Amino acid sequence: MNHRIVLALIAIVPACLTAVFGYLQGSKTTEAYETKSELTSKRISFGYSKNPNFKELVYPNYGMSLLAPVSWTAEDSPARLAGGEFNLVSRYEDTRGAVGMNFRLRPVQPNYVNNISAQIENQLVTFERNYPGSKVEDVAISGLAGKLFTYEVPTGKRKMLVKLYWIRVVPDVQLQIQCAQYTDAVDAEEFWRDVDRVISSIVLAFDTWQSRYKKDKGI
């Protein structure tokens, strides 16, 4: 009898685990579907038109979609698999460096969650100390208010212009978009035009982000 009970338990455990994994996978699939649906709806409402020189990239884990130049390279495997940072590369330098854009989600320090002004002020002070002439201005991405820091970084004999966007998607998570190009590059103007097009094409699934946040906080 005991032998039969053990065998029955052995059979039940894998079945239970399969059910749990199936439920979790189904939950993730549903969340991804809801995110894609919101992104599609917002793209339609924003009236984005197709551009043959740009390709559409969708990242459900980020709750984001955007348009990128067809000629650019998307280094985005982590973002597609789990939500890590990703790069859009305009070109690779002979020095093995890259010119382009970096996207990443960052946690917000607890003391800044309810004090965005202090976070911005402290960041600007740090930039000004290291890169004189740094500045910050108001921007909006996908209808969300944010900030844009601009500064120049010495890189040997050359200088690199850096533009850093900050967008709070929820109180304790921040989307950062860093764009960098050499100031003396022959394609600098074209690059920054393309960056502006990418930024203006970004759609964020804000409702989904809010839902995730409330679920995580038990609100």
Side-chain angles (χ1 to χ4, degrees):
M1 180 64 70
N2 290 338
H3 179 67
R4 291 180 180 178
I5 292 175
V6 171
L7 290 178
L9 289 174
I10 291 175
I12 290 172
V13 171
C16 290
L17 291 176
T18 299
V20 170
F21 289 142
Y23 170 78
L24 292 176
Q25 185 60 44
S27 177
K28 290 181 179 179
T29 301
T30 300
E31 187 175 87
Y33 175 78
E34 291 175 348
T35 302
K36 288 182 179 180
S37 295
E38 183 182 351
L39 291 174
T40 299
S41 176
K42 287 189 174 179
R43 282 199 302 272
I44 293 174
S45 67
F46 288 166
Y48 289 146
S49 58
K50 296 292 184 180
N51 185 327
N53 297 318
F54 282 73
K55 55 190 174 185
E56 185 177 70
L57 301 175
V58 180
Y59 302 100
N61 292 319
Y62 263 71
M64 177 198 298
S65 71
L66 52 81
L67 299 177
V70 172
S71 60
W72 287 22
T73 300
E75 299 176 342
D76 59 2
S77 297
R80 293 190 178 282
L81 290 173
E85 65 183 87
F86 66 95
N87 302 317
L88 298 180
V89 181
S90 172
R91 72 167 187 280
Y92 296 95
E93 294 283 298
D94 294 337
T95 57
R96 297 185 181 180
V99 171
M101 306 173 68
N102 171 264
F103 296 72
R104 52 184 169 175
L105 295 169
R106 301 297 299 273
V108 177
Q109 290 183 23
N111 53 308
Y112 290 143
V113 169
N114 296 313
N115 196 345
I116 298 178
S117 297
Q119 182 191 21
I120 294 168
E121 182 179 351
N122 289 346
Q123 183 62 77
L124 182 58
V125 168
T126 299
F127 281 150
E128 288 178 330
R129 185 181 301 120
N130 294 285
Y131 314 116
S134 299
K135 62 181 181 179
V136 63
E137 59 187 291
D138 295 328
V139 294
I141 294 180
S142 191
L144 300 180
K147 294 293 180 179
L148 168 60
F149 296 91
T150 304
Y151 53 96
E152 290 187 0
V153 180
T155 59
K157 296 180 179 180
R158 307 176 71 184
K159 285 187 177 181
M160 181 165 274
L161 176 61
V162 179
K163 294 184 179 183
L164 177 64
Y165 293 85
W166 277 11
I167 298 290
R168 285 279 188 95
V169 290
V170 291
D172 56 6
V173 178
Q174 183 166 284
L175 170 65
Q176 295 186 5
I177 307 172
Q178 182 172 288
C179 321
Q181 167 67 292
Y182 291 104
T183 57
D184 62 352
V186 294
D187 62 340
E189 290 187 8
E190 179 184 358
F191 172 81
W192 291 115
R193 282 197 298 268
D194 285 339
V195 166
D196 289 340
R197 293 189 185 102
V198 174
I199 295 295
S200 64
S201 76
I202 292 175
V203 176
L204 296 173
F206 183 68
D207 294 341
T208 300
W209 266 106
Q210 288 292 307
S211 177
R212 290 181 185 176
Y213 177 76
K214 291 178 179 179
K215 182 179 179 181
D216 180 64
K217 300 299 180 183
I219 300 175

